[in-house]
Amino acid sequence: MGTANVAVKSRAAPLQWRWPLVWASLLALCVLGMPHLEALFRLFEPDARQVVYTRASFATLLWRHLSVVAVAALAGIVFGVLAGIAVTRKRGRDFMPLVAQLASLGQTFPPVAVLALAVPAIGFGTWPIIMALLLYGLLPIVRNTLSGLLGVDAEVKTAARAMGMTPWQVLISVELPLAMPIILAGVRTSVTINIATAALGATVGASNLGDPIIAGIINNNTAYIVQGAVVIALLALTVDSLFDMLQQRLKTSRSAA
Amino acid sequence: MIELIDVEKRFGGVAAVEGISLRVPSGKVCALVGTSGCGKSTTLRMINRLIAHDGGEIRLDGQPIDSVDPVQLRRRIGYVIQHTGLFPHWRVARNIALVPRLLRWPKERIEARVAELMALLGLSFDELAHKYPHELSGGQAQRVGVARALAGDPDILLMDEPFGALDPLTREKLQEEVARLQSSLHKTIVFVTHDMDEALRLADHLVIMRAGRIVQQGSPLALLRAPEDPFVESLLGGLERGLKQAALMRVRDHMGSLGPSLPSASRISIDASLRQGLSIMLRDHAERLTVVDGKDVPVGELSLRRLIKETQWEQPTSP
Ligand SMILES: Nc1ncnc2c1ncn2[C@@H]1O[C@H](COP(=O)(O)OP(=O)(O)OP(=O)(O)O)[C@@H](O)[C@H]1O
Ligand SMILES: [Mg+2]
């Protein structure tokens, strides 16, 4: 190694795919193999006419569930991170308490209540549930973006400015990368909560993995409820382990300082 | 050349520094010394516009700094921060390469520059270039901090307690290295320190501050010879002032020719300081020392009696 490899590539540790793969395989098995598990679910409801939910395939339900959570999460990241950035700039500082309070308000407001208010306003379907999830998931993202950005060593930020970085460069190359592990932890919390909460969508006509659960409650069919719950749990575990993998990678590829 | 003319800074109505006027000619080293909170860092940070000054004028090579875009200005001025301020998520090589990258140097030139600076500061490239700052010792981190400040080849270097957090030995070593670097690079340097010995050792021009104002400034020897008030005198070492002064004077300039009397058995190098000479006299109970050159050949004599009689000790040099 004779010359300076200045554009040092991150020699990041390889991603630890083990747990995400385990959970994803279980999820896939469950989703695709549900019709073959009839005998098992018969144990829950020996007398029911039908024991496996079939109004829509679990693959379709999973896809819809995931899309709703993903759209809400993306919107949450965009709004949450932008708001966090805005109020940590000099000009936005005055708004910091306001934004922090609004975000907590979003979380104290129950998603069911959001649905109840949103449906009359924008009708049944996917949008009310996306709105409810967005509001519900915003707090962890905003809160962690704030604490991540505020936690960046003042000395490091001063050095960045002193070396002649523009405010934009300081944000992109210094503040965000250093805050990233904490922001990511916030996104993880938000998404994991929302995978469970999204099931509520079934009550307002947004068909997703909540459907079997609601149908089970209405028809008094425990097997349906178990199917919906298990698939949602496996989905949550898969996504959570993916986040865990990303966080581990961030941790090993940069300083702990 | 750096010029501050009657510069002032207020934080919320309270003056942090006031009436600061000083001039650092190109290639010279200026030290700001004073008690904690007296406005040293503030003064330093106004020079690269990290802090905007509220009154007076600051000029670099005659040009008022307000007329230059701050981002461009800072890329021309090296800055070594208290506690290093290295980017924890970047490796050493990338930290050092920061300013050249901002200046959009070609890649090969940046790589060569990083390797050159690491060699200059005694940092092993193979061992350290790919480490993260938290994997460095305090001394290594400080060196990286200095290398980063020098990377863009600025004419001006500002250093805020560059060796503050180091043990005395490492500190002395780095001071020597900075002195050595300066003798070949000839940067215009302003540095802040709590350590008077460091200031005396490195500075051409010494500025003593108290409560946001300059109390006295001048060459280290001039200040040692004639401190203007008790505060300056106590900073300069009080009763030890004489020894600090002797540390700045060289045997070469104060020796006499070899006399007819028997040469003393105690020897001292012609490049040593008078302080070292006095120390040897005390140790060896000798009133006279034989001065030798690099090849150990006697070239003169250092006499305690003569040193004491020399007028230069007490009187300030006339300007
Ligand atoms: N951003 C700021 N806002 C308000 N007051 C400040 C600010 N920066 C510095 N001060 C005040 O200005 C004065 C000078 O501070 P400065 O940092 O220049 O001191 P210093 O001489 O560098 O001290 P030290 O040796 O402890 O580093 C102090 O009283 C400090 O409290
Ligand atoms: Mg300071």
Side-chain angles (χ1 to χ4, degrees), chain B residues 169-181:
Chain B
L169 279 181
T170 315
R171 194 182 175 110
E172 212 163 300
K173 180 130 193 287
L174 263 173
Q175 289 167 3
E176 269 166 31
E177 272 165 34
V178 165
R180 175 177 58 79
L181 283 180

Side-chain angles (χ1 to χ4, degrees), chain A residues 127-144:
Chain A
W127 290 113
I129 185 66
I130 289 183
M131 225 172 88
L133 294 184
L134 170 62
L135 285 181
Y136 200 51
L138 213 47
L139 175 68
I141 299 181
V142 171
R143 189 187 50 204
N144 281 37

Side-chain angles (χ1 to χ4, degrees), chain B residues 83-250:
Chain B
H83 314 303
T84 80
L86 295 176
F87 295 178
H89 59 308
W90 284 8
R91 292 163 199 282
V92 165
R94 184 145 185 223
N95 264 292
I96 297 177
L98 173 56
V99 177
R101 280 159 55 113
L102 292 173
L103 293 171
R104 300 188 184 287
W105 288 11
K107 197 160 161 276
E108 306 72 47
R109 184 168 166 214
I110 296 179
E111 289 177 358
R113 181 70 179 154
V114 170
E116 177 192 348
L117 280 166
M118 289 189 70
L120 198 65
L121 283 150
L123 295 162
S124 153
F125 185 91
D126 289 349
E127 192 191 328
L128 299 173
H130 297 278
K131 285 199 167 164
Y132 285 104
H134 77 280
E135 300 171 301
L136 304 176
S137 73
Q140 288 168 339
Q142 291 290 3
R143 284 163 207 259
V144 174
V146 176
R148 174 176 69 175
L150 288 172
D153 204 6
D155 297 325
I156 295 173
L157 197 56
L158 308 176
M159 304 200 285
D160 199 339
E161 298 190 36
F163 317 122
L166 299 176
D167 66 89
L169 279 181
T170 315
R171 194 182 175 110
E172 212 163 300
K173 180 130 193 287
L174 263 173
Q175 289 167 3
E176 269 166 31
E177 272 165 34
V178 165
R180 175 177 58 79
L181 283 180
Q182 174 60 5
S183 65
S184 59
L185 299 178
H186 304 296
K187 305 285 182 198
T188 309
I189 301 179
V190 182
F191 78 102
V192 168
T193 181
H194 273 120
D195 177 348
M196 183 54 77
D197 288 314
E198 180 170 295
L200 291 174
R201 171 183 295 205
L202 295 176
D204 301 302
H205 188 77
L206 195 55
V207 176
I208 311 276
M209 292 178 67
R210 181 180 48 192
R213 292 183 163 276
I214 294 179
V215 195
Q216 193 178 356
Q217 59 178 319
S219 78
L221 272 179
L223 261 65
L224 281 167
R225 281 182 190 130
E228 270 167 24
D229 78 1
F231 173 72
V232 177
E233 172 152 22
S234 76
L235 270 186
L236 284 167
L239 292 176
E240 303 233 14
R241 183 153 64 84
L243 283 178
K244 289 192 194 297
Q245 190 177 341
L248 295 181
M249 299 160 81
R250 293 186 311 160

